Amino acid sequence: MKRILVTGATSGIGYELVKTLTGKGHSVVATGRNQAKLDDLSEQTGCLTIKADLSEAYQALELFEEAVQQLDGLDVLINNAGMNSRKCGIDEFTLEEFDYQYAVNLRAPAVLSREALKVMKPAKSGQIINVLSTVAKRSNETMSVYTAMKQGLAGFSAILMKEAQPHGIKVTSLFPGGADTNFREVDRPQYMHPKSVAETIAMLLELPQDVVMHEMVFRPPVEIE
Ligand SMILES: NC(=O)c1ccc[n+]([C@@H]2O[C@H](COP(=O)([O-])OP(=O)(O)OC[C@H]3O[C@@H](n4cnc5c(N)ncnc54)[C@H](OP(=O)(O)O)[C@@H]3O)[C@@H](O)[C@H]2O)c1
């Protein structure tokens, strides 16, 4: 049984991840801004919940402290929360959009990783999974701000791996391709079901002790690169 914090748990991949992980007997704190969805998830799975807006740095810090208290420690942090405001050209994005994406997609997971290290280093064990995207390996027009934040987090996560691993902490940078979630305005049934993505992520918690998955790239069969 592991003590796990999952961000972005009110929808899509995170929502399914909480169901999968609690189903395997883990203790999970689920977070997001949507209290009704958190209540629903708690009722279904018995998970603990904390409402927090990750665009506010102080809320990310408070969330972390409360999660560690609720779980009486922390074994696994899954930085899953993320968003894209819209697709637009570089001459169109607003400062507000840029700052918001920076706060949610890059600053929050970085700060939560920092806090997690402080708990995991003394324990000499732990696992941090950062959900990036295959966009972090590409350069798609109209996706500049989102790509910049995910590539930024990919760089951060690679260094986190080097600093954390000597202390017995496993770090994985995860690069999923398209998943059929609320992330997009339109349904994409040909993309990965969020439950499938959740099951794939959950496998990382079951790797042999002497195996570390540094990077994992996975896509739906309709995506070929
Ligand atoms: N869907 C894809 O094709 C795809 C592909 C590659 C990578 N990803 C990544 O996978 C992760 C999960 O995405 P998803 O597809 O499951 O999207 P989703 O269904 O839209 O879920 C996003 C989650 O992030 C949370 N979130 C967004 N803004 C937040 C904020 N300000 N504060 C706290 N939580 C916030 C949302 O919770 P609240 O609204 O309740 O706050 C929600 O639970 C993201 O990091 C995304 O970039 C997705």
Side-chain angles (χ1 to χ4, degrees), residues 8 10-11 13 33-34 53-54 80 100 146 150 177 179 181 184:
T10 57
S11 169
I13 296 166
R33 292 165 301 176
N34 186 328
D53 184 343
L54 292 175
N80 166 72
Y100 193 79
Y146 179 69
K150 290 292 187 181
T181 69
R184 290 192 184 73

Side-chain angles (χ1 to χ4, degrees), residues 7-15 31-35 37-38 52-56 79-84 100 103-105 131-135 146 150 174-184 191-192 194 197 223:
T7 67
T10 57
S11 169
I13 296 166
Y15 187 78
T31 78
R33 292 165 301 176
N34 186 328
Q35 187 66 56
K37 276 286 182 73
L38 289 175
D53 184 343
L54 292 175
S55 68
E56 301 282 358
N79 277 314
N80 166 72
M83 45 69 62
N84 187 15
Y100 193 79
V104 176
N105 291 343
V131 180
L132 308 163
S133 165
T134 46
V135 301
Y146 179 69
K150 290 292 187 181
L174 208 71
F175 299 86
D180 187 18
T181 69
N182 293 335
F183 184 79
R184 290 192 184 73
Y191 283 179
M192 295 181 288
V197 178
E223 286 182 355

Side-chain angles (χ1 to χ4, degrees), residues 14 42 73 76 85 114-115 142-143 146 182:
S42 174
V76 184
S85 328
R114 183 190 77 182
E115 296 306 301
T142 74
M143 297 281 275
Y146 179 69
N182 293 335

